[in-house]
């Protein structure tokens, strides 16, 4: 059996390797690890659905996901990118206080995501100015990409 401490050390060093969190102080990162949930997905499963409300932020610990979006002139949501280990998603709904703006579909069996809820996300981002600025800019850029792509 794996102890809680072993689990926490594993996630701690993994999160250290995520570029977004590289500069986060030790105690902040440790807090996030304590509050993390891990969710498991199989290929084809929806992790996020466009238009739904959402209160969580995800970091991919294993596997791959597709980002798709409803687009003018197409009946099916269009694939816009794939994300893999160390990538994250779900920040936009939290930052813009809006519904989910794209679908996230699992693209590999046994995909594992670390899930941070809104309160912990706000704690992580809120107390860390540069991270906040970075994510806000990124979210604005995503909205511009959506417009260019004629997302619905
Ligand atoms: C895109 N347009 C939109 C991605 C992940 C993290 C960052 C890009 Cl910092 P949400 C759906 C999620 C959304 C984003 C993610 O999908 N997403 C995009 C786009 O071009 N969303 N609207 N590319 S991957 C990605 C930058 O995380 O957050 O809560 O749910 O709206």
């Amino acid at each position: 059996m794996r102890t809680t401490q072993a689990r926490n050390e594993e996630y701690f060093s993994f999160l250290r390797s995520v570029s977004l969190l590289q500069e986060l102080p030790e105690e902040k990162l440790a807090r996030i690890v304590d509050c993390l949930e891990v969710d498991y997905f199989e290929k084809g499963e929806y992790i996020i659905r466009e238009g739904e409300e959402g209160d969580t932020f995800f970091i991919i610990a294993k596997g791959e996901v597709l980002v798709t979006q409803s687009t003018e002139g197409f009946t099916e949501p269009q694939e816009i990118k794939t994300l893999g280990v160390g990538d994250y998603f779900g920040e936009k709904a939290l930052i813009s206080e809006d519904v989910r703006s794209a679908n996230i579909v699992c693209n590999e069996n046994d995909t594992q995501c670390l899930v941070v809820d809104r309160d912990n996300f706000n704690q992580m981002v809120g107390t860390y100015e540069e991270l906040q600025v970075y994510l806000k800019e990124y979210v604005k850029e995503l909205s511009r990409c959506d417009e260019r792509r004629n997302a619905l």
Side-chain angles (χ1 to χ4, degrees), residues 121-140:
F121 179 80
N122 285 341
Q123 283 225 13
M124 171 176 101
V125 173
T127 48
Y128 185 39
E129 177 84 31
E130 284 154 85
L131 193 57
Q132 199 168 1
V133 170
Y134 175 84
L135 282 175
K136 279 195 173 145
E137 283 306 312
Y138 210 147
V139 160
K140 268 194 240 165

Side-chain angles (χ1 to χ4, degrees), residues 48 67 69 80-81 83 88-94 99-104 135 138 142 145-146 149:
I48 284 181
V67 186
Q69 203 173 38
I80 56 185
K81 61 194 87 158
L83 303 175
Y88 44 87
F89 55 89
E91 77 302 328
K92 194 170 189 297
L94 298 180
V99 293
R100 298 297 193 185
S101 57
N103 300 296
I104 305 286
L135 282 175
Y138 210 147
L142 291 182
C145 292
D146 292 354
R149 226 186 285 114

